[in-house]
Amino acid sequence: MEHQQILWGIAPIGWRNDDLPEIGAGNTLSHLLSDIVVAGFQGTEVGGFFPEPKILNKELKLRNLRIAGQWFSSFIIRDGIEEATKAFHKHCQYLKEVNADVAVVSEQTYSIQGTTKNVFLEKPNFTDVEWAALCQGLNQLGRVAEEYGLKLVYHHHMGTGVQTLEEIDRLMENTDQEHVHLLYDTGHIFISDGDYMNLLKKHIGRIRHVHFKDVRKEVTEQCKRAGKSFLQSFLIGMFTVPGDGCIDFTEVYRTLIEHNYQSWIVIEAEQDPAIAHPLEYALIARRYIDEKLLPINNGQLISN
């Protein structure tokens, strides 16, 4: 097996959340980045509260950290590709200046992830015309990303029009594999479809970014029964870090290694930092990686 280069990151949403800016608002950038170093990760993704590139780059350099990428809400269907492209150029310019690798794109037209709607039953669906516009638009945005030295990775997400494996299949079939790549998120696909391996095996050739998100099964069942929204569900603990939920990441990780995956694996778990202490949970994830995942590499060094 070839020498692998996997970079391990942890997302800022354990400390502060863009969907609910009030939670964890007291956690500063310095605090967040220093916790990431303490927990032994190599980088993070850009949060909505992150500063301009010059300031961020200084803070990263002081701690020898890197930026993996940043979320971009596209509204290709709602606003048209011209508007989306304009906004995406700005997004990619920022990412280039902080030396990121990927632009994480999620189509937010009709999304219910920020609303009070039942995330398990009220997800939106796109018409054939809307699907055509989305796929064509993503091909265009993928080319824009490349102008900035980035890869566009599409984030399938609960409460959106691209959530289920069937929808991801359609997106992959109708976009250009040269320009549109996939972000594989274990938690989102598991809650959506009750399975996380089918997507991984089916589209491993398109995956260029990975989120390791664990799920608390009992809490998820409780949220389903109560018809909770996405925000309500994560606030009461539907998601957690690897090693604290029901997903077997050894199977996922082994598959990635066997297919020579060489990019970021970012630990991500939307939780309320007042309940789930961010550093404590970062360390739980780190311990799980060190004890359960890295030994799979037969002693090969693939981490920091």
Side-chain angles (χ1 to χ4, degrees):
M1 193 189 290
E2 283 181 35
H3 175 74
Q4 304 286 325
Q5 182 53 43
I6 284 177
L7 296 164
W8 290 96
I10 188 162
I13 58 172
W15 286 261
R16 283 172 70 165
N17 195 293
D18 290 350
D19 289 329
L20 295 167
E22 65 275 15
I23 68 170
N27 291 327
T28 63
L29 179 72
S30 297
H31 174 164
L32 158 76
L33 295 178
S34 295
D35 275 0
I36 288 171
V37 173
V38 170
F41 290 94
Q42 292 160 287
T44 188
E45 293 181 350
V46 173
F49 61 96
F50 278 32
E52 57 165 300
K54 195 177 171 188
I55 296 169
L56 179 58
N57 285 338
K58 181 177 181 178
E59 295 293 336
L60 292 168
K61 195 176 177 187
L62 287 169
R63 296 166 178 83
N64 194 27
L65 289 174
R66 290 182 55 186
I67 291 293
Q70 182 184 13
W71 171 281
F72 176 79
S73 292
S74 68
F75 291 93
I76 294 167
I77 293 168
R78 188 191 75 185
D79 298 341
I81 189 57
E82 271 183 48
E83 283 302 308
T85 303
K86 241 187 280 181
F88 194 58
H89 269 287
K90 271 190 209 165
H91 183 82
C92 291
Q93 181 59 41
Y94 181 96
L95 288 178
K96 183 184 180 181
E97 287 178 36
V98 297
N99 304 303
D101 296 310
V102 298
V104 176
V105 174
S106 179
E107 178 64 21
Q108 290 296 295
T109 300
Y110 313 132
S111 170
I112 62 163
Q113 72 184 65
T115 73
T116 55
K117 288 186 175 179
N118 180 342
V119 73
F120 305 97
L121 295 178
E122 296 183 74
K123 74 171 289 306
N125 295 290
F126 300 144
T127 65
D128 289 348
V129 171
E130 289 169 338
W131 268 107
L134 174 62
C135 293
Q136 204 178 340
L138 287 172
N139 286 340
Q140 196 165 318
L141 293 189
R143 291 186 183 92
V144 170
E146 287 151 23
E147 290 173 30
Y148 296 86
L150 300 160
K151 280 188 165 66
L152 182 156
V153 291
Y154 191 89
H155 193 337
H156 56 95
H157 202 287
M158 288 294 294
T160 73
V162 186
Q163 171 188 300
T164 65
L165 179 56
E166 191 182 344
E167 289 161 345
I168 298 162
D169 286 346
R170 184 166 182 176
L171 190 85
M172 293 294 96
E173 280 159 24
N174 293 285
T175 51
D176 187 334
Q177 63 179 5
E178 295 299 313
H179 306 296
V180 179
H181 312 281
L182 185 63
L183 184 159
Y184 167 65
D185 187 301
T186 52
H188 281 279
I189 195 61
F190 182 61
I191 287 173
S192 173
D193 287 31
D195 178 274
Y196 48 89
M197 289 305 298
N198 287 340
L199 169 58
L200 177 62
K201 287 174 177 170
K202 198 166 189 181
H203 295 297
I204 187 81
R206 297 285 289 272
I207 295 167
R208 293 291 178 273
H209 197 58
V210 172
H211 282 172
F212 271 11
K213 190 198 304 285
D214 212 338
V215 171
R216 293 186 179 100
K217 214 167 188 175
E218 312 72 37
V219 179
T220 305
E221 290 309 315
Q222 181 191 330
C223 291
K224 276 184 185 172
R225 283 194 301 272
K228 297 278 189 195
S229 71
F230 181 72
L231 299 182
Q232 289 168 335
S233 297
F234 85 65
L235 280 175
I236 62 169
M238 180 167 75
F239 295 127
T240 185
V241 297
D244 190 46
C246 65
I247 291 178
D248 177 10
F249 289 89
T250 59
E251 194 183 7
V252 177
Y253 186 68
R254 188 176 284 110
T255 303
L256 288 167
I257 292 299
E258 284 167 357
H259 288 84
N260 200 32
Y261 178 76
Q262 298 189 29
S263 192
W264 287 93
I265 296 178
V266 177
I267 304 301
E268 190 192 59
E270 289 98 329
Q271 297 196 83
D272 183 348
I275 298 168
H277 189 290
L279 179 56
E280 182 186 348
Y281 277 81
L283 290 166
I284 290 169
R286 185 72 242 186
R287 189 159 56 246
Y288 182 84
I289 292 163
D290 291 343
E291 292 174 7
K292 304 287 186 189
L293 303 185
L294 296 187
I296 290 169
N297 294 282
N298 303 319
Q300 284 189 335
L301 183 69
I302 63 152
S303 175
N304 51 342

